[in-house]
Amino acid sequence: MDTFKRLFSYSKNLRLKLLWSLLGAFFNAFGHVLIFYYAFNIIFDLKDLILSQGATELNLFNNSMFPWWKFYLLFVIAILTGIGNAIEHYLGHDVAFQVLADFRILVYEKIRDLGPASLDGHDKASLLKLMSQDIDHIEVFYAHTIVPIGRVITFAISILIMYWQLDWVLAIFVTIFSLMYLFIFPRFKKAKLEESTIASSNAKNKLNSTLIEYAKGKDTIIQLGKVDASLTNLEKIQTEVEISTADKANAQKTSVDLSTNYIYFTFILFSIIFFWRLGFANNLAYLFIFPFCFEPYKSLSNLPMTLSTGIDAAKRLFAFVDQEVLIEKGTIDGKGSLDKIEINNLEFTYPSRSKKVLHDFNLFMNSSDRIGIYGASGIGKSTLAKILMKWYPYENGSIKFNDIELNDLKLTCIRDNINYMPQKADFFSATLRENILLEKEDISDNYIWQILDKLDLSNRVSRLPKGLDTIMVPDNMPFSAGEKQRLDLARVLIHPADLLILDEPLSNLDAVNENIILDYIAKEYEGMVIIISHRKEAFSICNSIYKLENGSLITARD
């Protein structure tokens, strides 16, 4: 029930649209029945005229006996039905898509708030499923559950009144068998579909997880010569997906056949009762519209599956967004330049591990300091950068920026004061300009070209098909490793900050690119610099070098 309340609460500003969508849905559903009702009435009236006046003598346009008013009414109802159909689908899906966008924004904001500290333990495939499939299922809940339920209720009441005017027994018959179709038939359908749907979903999740693992470890797979074995495993999993999808399709076909047979059976039974109660010559239009009275209920024949899937997806979504944020957001803006960093007796352990990574860690930096940190692989050199950027919370000790505790500073303040260059620069499916600016719109192309020229990149970028407007493909970048690192440095210069952290940025570069980057930082970058590397050549611009050992810093050169 709490899940239902939260789902409805997210649509509170869109309820007027939902109401109009419901009215449109009612006109669409009931209008279809009225169209067939008046169409059959016109056919039977035409039959009576032919029998009484003869087919050769009949002239409809000059015949006062022909009910033209029914024809005009049929035309008006058809137009209103079409309008109702357009309103139902446009507004219903408009509400669903707006809520879908809101939920995606909610998830993205939560991911940003949680950061690596909370996301390290998450299964990546499950997180991708949450952002795509689960939110899509919630969208289906809004588009195919709320309004269709309201439509069925109003439609059922209208049909009951319509048949009650004819005969109360027929009215009760239609109502009972419609409700049976609505509540009993879906149970059989769910029983047939549930197992195949779960199997299909599990197979797809397995395929997604395997693809993610192989994509992350593609270099290792190639080095170990496991390409053929990996492809064979993928083909095996793909076969499982195809089989489970085929089973699901067969189950759906069986459900459709069962639905059709149910309507045939009830129509025969209804015909017997109709002729018993009214004879063979009265109000036959009511008889022939009976099969069309089931149409609105068909949209809810998937209700148990749609509702169950939507609610389960919503529970997973709310469980994710309700997670406690481990990082303290802070309340202090900390405006002004960053002139001093002081770390005292810092201790840190990753949430998913028990061994301390940093212990009795101390460091002091002034505004012009450039320090280098080296140590054995996996000892925790990059951990310092992650803590300084508030990716992870620290347990004990103190970190102060300008005498203000790091936990008390707002995340926006931290991000404004720190530039981070990782070992491998990330690029996105956007133009090169957008990749460099990262949504900073107040920078001119002329300034970008000046930066690129200083980094010896202007000639290379000008040779691209569309220059700065060239679309980047992350997995197929038209740049070497060194050029990508220099582009990442261009970002740093476009977004100036008081602290630059270089996390193994030179490990894959040749001497030429290494010198270009280090020389430019030495000459042009005015703030504090922390270089984390296992290569001591990277420390040529540093005035202090430290070795990380047993979780603590040891001065190697001062």
Side-chain angles (χ1 to χ4, degrees), residues 336-348:
S337 61
L338 177 59
D339 300 317
K340 183 173 64 174
I341 297 177
E342 188 175 1
I343 304 175
N344 291 308
N345 303 317
L346 179 66
E347 291 188 0
F348 176 78

Side-chain angles (χ1 to χ4, degrees), residues 432 436 449 451-472 476-487 513 516:
L432 179 58
I436 293 174
W449 284 109
I451 297 295
L452 294 176
D453 188 54
K454 290 178 179 179
L455 294 172
D456 197 22
L457 283 169
S458 56
N459 290 334
R460 179 69 184 87
V461 172
S462 64
R463 293 198 302 270
L464 294 175
K466 295 183 180 180
L468 292 173
D469 292 312
T470 304
I471 300 294
M472 297 293 103
N476 189 25
M477 292 282 290
F479 298 105
S480 67
E483 289 169 338
K484 284 190 282 188
Q485 287 298 90
R486 280 185 276 157
L487 283 171
N513 280 293
I516 290 174

